[in-house]
Amino acid sequence: MRNKLLTSFVLFCIPLTGIASSAYNKPNMDDNRSIISLWSEAKQKRSKSFQELSRIVDQYANKTLQKGNINSLAIAIYRDGEVYKQYYGVLDSVSKQKPNDETLYEIASITKTFTGSLVARAVLERKISLDDDLRMYLDGDYSNLQFEGTPITIQNLLTHTLGLKDKAPERLATIYQGVREGKYENNAFAYGMPDLLKELKTVELDKKPGTLYEYNSVGPELLAYVLEQVYHKSYKDLVQDFLVELDLPNTHLYEYEKYREQLAISFDENGNIAPLLKNPLLGGSHGMISNLPDLIKFMQFQLENQSPFIKESSRLLFKDEVEGDDKGYLWDVGYGQKEGAYHGKTGTSNGVQSGILICPDSSYGMIVIMNNNSEAAQDDWGHLYNQIETELIMYSKINLVSLLSTEFKQNFKSAKRKYQALKKDSDHYLSGSFYLNNFGYELINANQIDKAIDIFKLAVSNDNSNANLYDSLAEAYYLNKDYHNALLNYEKSLALNPKNDNARVIIEKIKQL
């Protein structure tokens, strides 16, 4: 019988309470160099536990690619100051080009976290306030941007709680659909920020701002516009200054053509080469490209730097009681009972799926990128993301079954000896029937029934009073059409747990064969 698998606390967690912040003082260049030196390079010498964790990540990534739905992966993990990055697979089956440090990816909505960071800084510098009515920064009559006297505020823009009847004005929605279809791959947009501001006068609100989360791109673009007004500088220049400050030389806004040769070829939901996710507006919602080394620096900056705007940008601004989509400054935020505060963001372009997770309380982070966007690829990506995060949560203890999983499949006897010897070191390794049972079902799902039987037998030998393990072993025998051994083990399971109705039903079924 299957155990309930551990799942990502990114998806299931208790929301984060607010974090206090102080005024932000922009560092001078000498200060900035010292900040960068703290997180610009990964440690060359890694601890034994971190090396083992890295091996597990490699195994998970390679097993994910073997399913055939994903061409390539770029992965980085951070735990307690140590960093590991690796690339897997090839970008496409024709050229066989492997991803590397030079490969640039569309990071799509992860772009929003840069917008959120700049807004957090502006709030701490008292350039703007979260409670400001958006109309303070717009010229003209926007009397429609309120619902029963409640206006759209800066905070509503940050948390996707504008209250708009439609997620985007009509013309902009049509443009975005055209982007998804590739209509602007080689054509200029006949739409820009002035057009959005004009359309904004025609939109309707059908709910009170700040009450309902509805993900959209309009809010981040309006925030980019507000930043231009208060700093009297183009949004692209504001972003570029920030990228220089963080020493991210390979992260760019609206530089698709300049760096097209380095951009990862990617594939859409139908397996076709995906068009670029271009943006007709300022770039507050999407439009950035980056490589894995730069994203690692950004992750380390979030985890190691003490700048007040980091805490400000990751604090809870909106708690979604319905869907659990709790928001900070365009970050997804929350609190795990074991892991503590986290903030993260995923980005989905036409062909690239990326995700970054930051957990300061437990000193870990992760980045996972693939260049596919089919439904099956998304499922595999999500499962891999959860697997890696689960290992980061358990660290510095290492999942011994995961560590030996490849060897279990290649040389069971050797892996069994190692497992029996290493499990005695309970200070360093996590072992036991729970992990063996889960691994057994992974093998069943991969149609490796004989190997699953070996794993379930090992689990039973270490925990021979566990009714669930006998049920699992019986199921594997049943799938292998070894009905004699299936019957014996179902009967043992039922004897240990008379409430196992599943065993009772299948026992009767076997007896009728």
Side-chain angles (χ1 to χ4, degrees):
M1 186 177 298
R2 298 173 190 265
N3 291 324
K4 184 178 180 181
L5 295 175
L6 293 173
T7 54
S8 167
F9 82 88
V10 170
L11 301 178
F12 307 100
C13 61
I14 297 174
L16 171 68
T17 55
I19 300 176
S21 60
S22 56
Y24 170 76
N25 293 314
K26 187 175 181 180
N28 60 38
M29 290 306 294
D30 290 336
D31 292 334
N32 198 42
R33 280 193 291 269
S34 65
I35 288 171
I36 292 168
S37 67
L38 291 173
W39 44 267
S40 61
E41 296 294 334
K43 289 185 178 180
Q44 296 300 311
K45 186 177 181 180
R46 298 184 176 92
S47 66
K48 175 186 175 183
S49 291
F50 196 76
Q51 289 178 22
E52 292 174 332
L53 175 63
S54 302
R55 281 174 54 195
I56 291 173
V57 170
D58 286 343
Q59 291 175 169
Y60 284 155
N62 286 319
K63 284 193 292 185
T64 300
L65 288 183
Q66 288 170 9
K67 296 178 182 179
N69 300 312
I70 298 174
N71 287 43
S72 71
L73 290 162
I75 297 175
I77 57 172
Y78 174 106
R79 196 60 159 88
D80 300 332
E82 297 186 273
V83 176
Y84 177 71
K85 70 175 172 68
Q86 190 56 270
Y87 302 94
Y88 310 86
V90 293
L91 293 170
D92 70 284
S93 58
V94 177
S95 72
K96 305 292 186 182
Q97 180 184 354
K98 296 181 178 180
N100 55 48
D101 284 353
E102 304 302 315
T103 305
L104 293 171
Y105 298 92
E106 295 178 273
I107 60 174
S109 286
I110 293 177
T111 301
K112 294 179 175 70
T113 66
F114 290 84
T115 310
S117 295
L118 291 173
V119 174
R121 174 178 289 180
V123 168
L124 294 179
E125 290 178 346
R126 302 185 185 280
K127 295 285 188 179
I128 58 178
S129 170
L130 292 175
D131 295 328
D132 283 349
D133 185 331
L134 169 62
R135 294 174 294 185
M136 292 172 52
Y137 305 97
L138 305 178
D139 292 329
D141 179 14
Y142 288 91
S143 56
N144 58 312
L145 297 185
Q146 61 178 338
F147 182 79
E148 297 179 351
T150 300
I152 298 173
T153 66
I154 297 298
Q155 182 160 322
N156 303 147
L157 300 178
L158 288 164
T159 57
H160 303 284
T161 57
L162 285 69
L164 297 181
K165 182 178 180 180
D166 300 306
K167 290 185 178 181
E170 185 176 355
R171 282 189 61 205
L172 180 59
T174 302
I175 293 289
Y176 280 151
Q177 181 60 35
V179 169
R180 291 287 182 184
E181 295 170 356
K183 292 182 179 179
Y184 298 98
E185 190 73 359
N186 299 302
N187 297 307
F189 289 107
Y191 192 95
M193 202 66 199
D195 298 287
L196 173 58
L197 295 175
K198 182 178 179 180
E199 277 205 283
L200 204 59
K201 294 181 178 182
T202 66
V203 300
E204 296 181 41
L205 276 66
D206 62 354
K207 61 193 75 69
K208 182 179 177 181
T211 59
L212 182 66
Y213 167 80
E214 289 183 313
Y215 193 77
N216 68 87
S217 293
V218 173
E221 296 298 337
L222 291 173
L223 287 167
Y225 180 78
V226 170
L227 289 169
E228 287 190 334
Q229 309 313 302
V230 299
Y231 284 106
H232 307 290
K233 200 170 188 177
S234 75
Y235 181 70
K236 185 172 182 179
D237 285 344
L238 290 170
V239 169
Q240 185 58 39
D241 290 346
F242 189 47
L243 295 175
V244 170
E245 182 181 321
L246 269 61
D247 188 29
L248 305 181
N250 300 298
T251 304
H252 313 281
L253 179 63
Y254 291 150
E255 297 287 359
Y256 298 116
E257 299 306 322
K258 184 176 180 181
Y259 297 99
R260 185 177 281 269
E261 293 301 314
Q262 289 175 246
L263 275 170
I265 186 173
S266 60
F267 299 90
D268 65 17
E269 57 188 9
N270 298 313
N272 301 316
I273 294 177
L276 296 168
L277 189 66
K278 294 186 175 182
N279 190 341
L281 302 174
L282 296 177
S285 60
H286 65 277
M288 275 188 165
I289 55 177
S290 188
N291 63 9
L292 187 57
D294 266 22
L295 290 173
I296 291 171
K297 287 183 184 180
F298 185 53
M299 173 175 65
Q300 290 179 272
F301 179 76
Q302 294 286 323
L303 285 160
E304 297 176 0
N305 191 269
Q306 300 302 311
S307 295
F309 80 86
I310 295 177
K311 287 188 175 181
E312 175 65 20
S313 64
S314 60
R315 73 181 179 91
L316 179 68
L317 295 182
F318 177 76
K319 180 176 175 58
D320 186 353
E321 301 287 358
V322 179
E323 300 292 338
D325 291 309
D326 302 333
K327 298 297 172 185
Y329 284 69
L330 297 173
W331 286 98
D332 302 322
V333 302
Y335 193 91
Q337 290 182 330
K338 182 177 180 181
E339 306 82 39
Y342 80 85
H343 53 286
K345 194 78 184 79
T346 58
T348 306
S349 74
N350 288 325
V352 175
Q353 177 65 48
S354 53
I356 182 169
L357 174 66
I358 311 294
C359 190
D361 286 357
S362 294
S363 189
Y364 74 75
M366 58 184 280
I367 300 162
V368 182
I369 308 172
M370 68 174 177
N371 67 323
N372 299 81
N373 201 13
S374 68
E375 184 176 348
Q378 287 283 355
D379 288 343
D380 290 347
W381 183 91
H383 183 63
L384 173 63
Y385 192 97
N386 287 347
Q387 283 184 311
I388 295 173
E389 187 193 351
T390 298
E391 302 299 337
L392 285 166
I393 291 170
M394 294 189 297
Y395 189 83
S396 60
K397 289 195 173 184
I398 297 297
N399 183 339
L400 183 56
V401 176
S402 293
L403 183 66
L404 296 175
S405 63
T406 298
E407 190 169 352
F408 268 127
K409 289 187 282 187
Q410 295 174 347
N411 189 334
F412 178 79
K413 290 182 178 179
S414 172
K416 179 181 177 180
R417 286 194 298 270
K418 290 182 181 179
Y419 177 81
Q420 300 288 35
L422 292 175
K423 73 173 188 174
K424 297 174 184 177
D425 183 4
S426 59
D427 290 334
H428 185 68
Y429 294 110
L430 291 166
S431 61
S433 59
F434 176 88
Y435 303 102
L436 287 168
N437 195 60
N438 283 345
F439 181 48
Y441 275 100
E442 284 185 28
L443 293 169
I444 285 177
N445 291 337
N447 201 31
Q448 296 177 311
I449 310 299
D450 288 337
K451 291 181 172 62
I453 289 172
D454 287 336
I455 293 299
F456 290 136
K457 288 169 67 176
L458 174 60
V460 166
S461 70
N462 284 272
D463 189 3
N464 60 14
S465 61
N466 190 320
N468 184 61
L469 296 180
Y470 285 108
D471 186 276
S472 298
L473 178 57
E475 182 179 347
Y477 276 127
Y478 186 83
L479 291 171
N480 219 29
K481 298 184 179 180
D482 183 345
Y483 301 119
H484 173 72
N485 280 312
L487 180 61
L488 289 177
N489 284 281
Y490 273 125
E491 288 176 339
K492 289 178 182 178
S493 177
L494 188 59
L496 289 166
N497 177 19
K499 295 181 179 180
N500 187 350
D501 294 332
N502 175 69
R504 185 175 286 105
V505 169
I506 300 182
I507 286 171
E508 292 302 316
K509 187 175 182 179
I510 292 173
K511 289 180 177 179
Q512 294 175 12
L513 292 176

Short mmCIF file of all heavy atoms in Angstrom, two decimals, residues 381-414:
data_model
loop_
_atom_site.label_atom_id
_atom_site.label_comp_id
_atom_site.label_asym_id
_atom_site.label_seq_id
_atom_site.Cartn_x
_atom_site.Cartn_y
_atom_site.Cartn_z
N TRP A 381 8.17 18.14 -14.12
CA TRP A 381 8.91 19.25 -13.50
C TRP A 381 8.43 19.47 -12.08
O TRP A 381 9.24 19.64 -11.15
CB TRP A 381 8.71 20.52 -14.34
CG TRP A 381 9.46 21.72 -13.87
CD1 TRP A 381 10.72 22.11 -14.25
CD2 TRP A 381 9.02 22.71 -12.93
NE1 TRP A 381 11.08 23.28 -13.61
CE2 TRP A 381 10.05 23.67 -12.79
CE3 TRP A 381 7.85 22.88 -12.20
CZ2 TRP A 381 9.94 24.77 -11.95
CZ3 TRP A 381 7.74 23.98 -11.36
CH2 TRP A 381 8.78 24.91 -11.24
N GLY A 382 7.12 19.48 -11.86
CA GLY A 382 6.57 19.69 -10.53
C GLY A 382 6.97 18.60 -9.56
O GLY A 382 7.30 18.86 -8.40
N HIS A 383 6.96 17.34 -10.04
CA HIS A 383 7.35 16.22 -9.18
C HIS A 383 8.83 16.34 -8.81
O HIS A 383 9.21 16.12 -7.65
CB HIS A 383 7.09 14.91 -9.90
CG HIS A 383 7.39 13.70 -9.08
ND1 HIS A 383 6.74 13.39 -7.92
CD2 HIS A 383 8.33 12.71 -9.26
CE1 HIS A 383 7.23 12.27 -7.41
NE2 HIS A 383 8.20 11.85 -8.20
N LEU A 384 9.67 16.67 -9.78
CA LEU A 384 11.10 16.84 -9.52
C LEU A 384 11.34 17.97 -8.52
O LEU A 384 12.15 17.83 -7.59
CB LEU A 384 11.83 17.12 -10.83
CG LEU A 384 13.32 17.49 -10.73
CD1 LEU A 384 14.12 16.33 -10.15
CD2 LEU A 384 13.87 17.90 -12.10
N TYR A 385 10.63 19.07 -8.72
CA TYR A 385 10.75 20.23 -7.82
C TYR A 385 10.45 19.81 -6.38
O TYR A 385 11.18 20.14 -5.45
CB TYR A 385 9.77 21.29 -8.31
CG TYR A 385 9.93 22.68 -7.71
CD1 TYR A 385 10.64 23.66 -8.39
CD2 TYR A 385 9.33 23.01 -6.50
CE1 TYR A 385 10.76 24.94 -7.87
CE2 TYR A 385 9.45 24.29 -5.97
CZ TYR A 385 10.16 25.25 -6.66
OH TYR A 385 10.28 26.51 -6.14
N ASN A 386 9.38 19.06 -6.20
CA ASN A 386 8.99 18.60 -4.86
C ASN A 386 10.00 17.62 -4.28
O ASN A 386 10.29 17.65 -3.08
CB ASN A 386 7.61 17.95 -4.91
CG ASN A 386 6.49 18.95 -5.07
OD1 ASN A 386 6.69 20.15 -4.92
ND2 ASN A 386 5.32 18.47 -5.41
N GLN A 387 10.53 16.73 -5.13
CA GLN A 387 11.53 15.77 -4.66
C GLN A 387 12.77 16.48 -4.13
O GLN A 387 13.27 16.15 -3.03
CB GLN A 387 11.94 14.83 -5.80
CG GLN A 387 10.95 13.74 -6.13
CD GLN A 387 11.48 12.82 -7.20
OE1 GLN A 387 11.96 13.26 -8.24
NE2 GLN A 387 11.41 11.53 -6.95
N ILE A 388 13.27 17.44 -4.90
CA ILE A 388 14.48 18.14 -4.49
C ILE A 388 14.23 18.93 -3.22
O ILE A 388 15.05 18.93 -2.28
CB ILE A 388 14.98 19.07 -5.63
CG1 ILE A 388 15.40 18.24 -6.84
CG2 ILE A 388 16.14 19.93 -5.14
CD1 ILE A 388 15.75 19.07 -8.06
N GLU A 389 13.09 19.59 -3.16
CA GLU A 389 12.80 20.39 -1.97
C GLU A 389 12.69 19.52 -0.72
O GLU A 389 13.15 19.90 0.36
CB GLU A 389 11.52 21.20 -2.16
CG GLU A 389 11.30 22.16 -1.02
CD GLU A 389 9.91 22.75 -1.00
OE1 GLU A 389 9.15 22.53 -1.97
OE2 GLU A 389 9.58 23.40 0.00
N THR A 390 12.10 18.35 -0.86
CA THR A 390 11.97 17.45 0.27
C THR A 390 13.34 17.08 0.81
O THR A 390 13.56 17.04 2.04
CB THR A 390 11.20 16.18 -0.14
OG1 THR A 390 9.88 16.54 -0.54
CG2 THR A 390 11.10 15.20 1.03
N GLU A 391 14.30 16.82 -0.07
CA GLU A 391 15.66 16.50 0.37
C GLU A 391 16.32 17.69 1.06
O GLU A 391 17.04 17.54 2.05
CB GLU A 391 16.51 16.04 -0.81
CG GLU A 391 15.97 14.82 -1.55
CD GLU A 391 15.87 13.57 -0.69
OE1 GLU A 391 16.57 13.48 0.33
OE2 GLU A 391 15.06 12.69 -1.03
N LEU A 392 16.06 18.90 0.55
CA LEU A 392 16.61 20.10 1.18
C LEU A 392 16.03 20.32 2.57
O LEU A 392 16.73 20.77 3.49
CB LEU A 392 16.34 21.32 0.30
CG LEU A 392 17.19 21.45 -0.96
CD1 LEU A 392 16.59 22.49 -1.91
CD2 LEU A 392 18.62 21.83 -0.62
N ILE A 393 14.76 19.99 2.73
CA ILE A 393 14.11 20.14 4.03
C ILE A 393 14.72 19.18 5.05
O ILE A 393 14.97 19.54 6.20
CB ILE A 393 12.59 19.91 3.91
CG1 ILE A 393 11.93 21.04 3.13
CG2 ILE A 393 11.94 19.79 5.29
CD1 ILE A 393 10.49 20.78 2.76
N MET A 394 15.00 17.95 4.63
CA MET A 394 15.52 16.94 5.55
C MET A 394 17.01 17.13 5.87
O MET A 394 17.49 16.66 6.89
CB MET A 394 15.30 15.55 4.97
CG MET A 394 13.84 15.16 4.86
SD MET A 394 13.57 13.42 4.41
CE MET A 394 14.31 13.33 2.79
N TYR A 395 17.73 17.80 4.99
CA TYR A 395 19.16 18.01 5.17
C TYR A 395 19.43 18.70 6.52
O TYR A 395 18.62 19.53 6.95
CB TYR A 395 19.66 18.89 4.02
CG TYR A 395 21.15 19.03 3.93
CD1 TYR A 395 21.91 18.06 3.30
CD2 TYR A 395 21.79 20.14 4.47
CE1 TYR A 395 23.29 18.19 3.21
CE2 TYR A 395 23.16 20.27 4.38
CZ TYR A 395 23.90 19.30 3.76
OH TYR A 395 25.26 19.43 3.66
N SER A 396 20.48 18.36 7.27
CA SER A 396 21.68 17.68 6.83
C SER A 396 21.60 16.16 6.89
O SER A 396 22.57 15.46 6.57
CB SER A 396 22.88 18.12 7.66
OG SER A 396 22.65 17.81 9.02
N LYS A 397 20.46 15.63 7.31
CA LYS A 397 20.28 14.19 7.19
C LYS A 397 20.00 13.84 5.73
O LYS A 397 19.34 14.58 5.02
CB LYS A 397 19.15 13.72 8.08
CG LYS A 397 19.50 13.76 9.57
CD LYS A 397 18.52 12.95 10.39
CE LYS A 397 19.00 12.85 11.84
NZ LYS A 397 18.12 11.98 12.66
N ILE A 398 20.54 12.71 5.32
CA ILE A 398 20.46 12.28 3.93
C ILE A 398 19.54 11.06 3.82
O ILE A 398 19.65 10.11 4.60
CB ILE A 398 21.86 11.92 3.39
CG1 ILE A 398 22.77 13.15 3.42
CG2 ILE A 398 21.78 11.34 1.99
CD1 ILE A 398 22.33 14.28 2.52
N ASN A 399 18.65 11.11 2.84
CA ASN A 399 17.76 9.99 2.56
C ASN A 399 18.60 8.85 1.97
O ASN A 399 19.01 8.90 0.81
CB ASN A 399 16.67 10.43 1.58
CG ASN A 399 15.66 9.34 1.29
OD1 ASN A 399 15.92 8.16 1.48
ND2 ASN A 399 14.49 9.75 0.81
N LEU A 400 18.86 7.83 2.78
CA LEU A 400 19.75 6.75 2.36
C LEU A 400 19.20 5.98 1.18
O LEU A 400 19.95 5.54 0.30
CB LEU A 400 20.01 5.81 3.56
CG LEU A 400 20.98 4.66 3.34
CD1 LEU A 400 22.33 5.17 2.87
CD2 LEU A 400 21.13 3.85 4.62
N VAL A 401 17.89 5.78 1.13
CA VAL A 401 17.28 5.05 0.02
C VAL A 401 17.47 5.82 -1.27
O VAL A 401 17.81 5.25 -2.32
CB VAL A 401 15.80 4.77 0.30
CG1 VAL A 401 15.14 4.09 -0.90
CG2 VAL A 401 15.64 3.91 1.55
N SER A 402 17.26 7.12 -1.24
CA SER A 402 17.46 7.94 -2.44
C SER A 402 18.93 7.92 -2.85
O SER A 402 19.24 7.84 -4.05
CB SER A 402 17.02 9.38 -2.17
OG SER A 402 15.63 9.46 -1.97
N LEU A 403 19.82 7.99 -1.88
CA LEU A 403 21.25 8.00 -2.18
C LEU A 403 21.68 6.72 -2.90
O LEU A 403 22.50 6.76 -3.82
CB LEU A 403 22.05 8.15 -0.88
CG LEU A 403 23.57 8.25 -1.02
CD1 LEU A 403 23.96 9.52 -1.75
CD2 LEU A 403 24.24 8.19 0.35
N LEU A 404 21.10 5.59 -2.50
CA LEU A 404 21.49 4.30 -3.07
C LEU A 404 20.55 3.82 -4.17
O LEU A 404 20.68 2.69 -4.64
CB LEU A 404 21.53 3.24 -1.95
CG LEU A 404 22.56 3.46 -0.84
CD1 LEU A 404 22.39 2.41 0.25
CD2 LEU A 404 23.98 3.42 -1.39
N SER A 405 19.61 4.65 -4.58
CA SER A 405 18.56 4.19 -5.50
C SER A 405 19.12 3.66 -6.81
O SER A 405 18.66 2.62 -7.32
CB SER A 405 17.55 5.31 -5.77
OG SER A 405 18.17 6.41 -6.41
N THR A 406 20.10 4.34 -7.39
CA THR A 406 20.68 3.87 -8.65
C THR A 406 21.37 2.53 -8.45
O THR A 406 21.22 1.60 -9.26
CB THR A 406 21.67 4.90 -9.21
OG1 THR A 406 20.96 6.11 -9.49
CG2 THR A 406 22.31 4.40 -10.49
N GLU A 407 22.14 2.41 -7.37
CA GLU A 407 22.84 1.15 -7.11
C GLU A 407 21.85 0.02 -6.79
O GLU A 407 22.09 -1.13 -7.16
CB GLU A 407 23.83 1.33 -5.96
CG GLU A 407 24.77 0.13 -5.79
CD GLU A 407 25.91 0.40 -4.84
OE1 GLU A 407 26.07 1.57 -4.41
OE2 GLU A 407 26.64 -0.55 -4.52
N PHE A 408 20.76 0.35 -6.12
CA PHE A 408 19.74 -0.68 -5.87
C PHE A 408 19.26 -1.29 -7.19
O PHE A 408 19.00 -2.50 -7.28
CB PHE A 408 18.55 -0.08 -5.13
CG PHE A 408 18.64 -0.17 -3.63
CD1 PHE A 408 18.49 0.97 -2.85
CD2 PHE A 408 18.85 -1.39 -3.00
CE1 PHE A 408 18.56 0.89 -1.46
CE2 PHE A 408 18.91 -1.48 -1.62
CZ PHE A 408 18.77 -0.34 -0.85
N LYS A 409 19.13 -0.48 -8.21
CA LYS A 409 18.63 -0.97 -9.50
C LYS A 409 19.71 -1.70 -10.29
O LYS A 409 19.42 -2.59 -11.07
CB LYS A 409 18.07 0.21 -10.31
CG LYS A 409 16.76 0.75 -9.75
CD LYS A 409 16.13 1.79 -10.64
CE LYS A 409 16.80 3.12 -10.52
NZ LYS A 409 16.08 4.19 -11.26
N GLN A 410 20.98 -1.31 -10.08
CA GLN A 410 22.06 -1.89 -10.87
C GLN A 410 22.69 -3.11 -10.20
O GLN A 410 23.10 -4.05 -10.88
CB GLN A 410 23.13 -0.83 -11.14
CG GLN A 410 22.64 0.32 -12.01
CD GLN A 410 23.65 1.43 -12.16
OE1 GLN A 410 24.66 1.47 -11.43
NE2 GLN A 410 23.42 2.33 -13.09
N ASN A 411 22.81 -3.06 -8.89
CA ASN A 411 23.45 -4.15 -8.15
C ASN A 411 22.79 -4.24 -6.78
O ASN A 411 23.28 -3.68 -5.79
CB ASN A 411 24.95 -3.92 -8.02
CG ASN A 411 25.69 -5.12 -7.45
OD1 ASN A 411 25.13 -5.93 -6.71
ND2 ASN A 411 26.98 -5.25 -7.78
N PHE A 412 21.66 -4.93 -6.73
CA PHE A 412 20.86 -4.94 -5.51
C PHE A 412 21.63 -5.49 -4.31
O PHE A 412 21.55 -4.93 -3.22
CB PHE A 412 19.59 -5.77 -5.73
CG PHE A 412 18.74 -5.87 -4.50
CD1 PHE A 412 17.92 -4.82 -4.11
CD2 PHE A 412 18.78 -7.01 -3.69
CE1 PHE A 412 17.14 -4.90 -2.97
CE2 PHE A 412 18.01 -7.11 -2.55
CZ PHE A 412 17.19 -6.05 -2.18
N LYS A 413 22.37 -6.57 -4.49
CA LYS A 413 23.07 -7.18 -3.37
C LYS A 413 24.09 -6.22 -2.75
O LYS A 413 24.20 -6.10 -1.53
CB LYS A 413 23.76 -8.46 -3.82
CG LYS A 413 22.80 -9.59 -4.12
CD LYS A 413 23.54 -10.87 -4.51
CE LYS A 413 22.57 -12.00 -4.78
NZ LYS A 413 23.28 -13.26 -5.17
N SER A 414 24.84 -5.52 -3.60
CA SER A 414 25.82 -4.55 -3.11
C SER A 414 25.14 -3.40 -2.39
O SER A 414 25.57 -2.98 -1.31
CB SER A 414 26.66 -4.02 -4.29
OG SER A 414 27.49 -2.95 -3.88
#
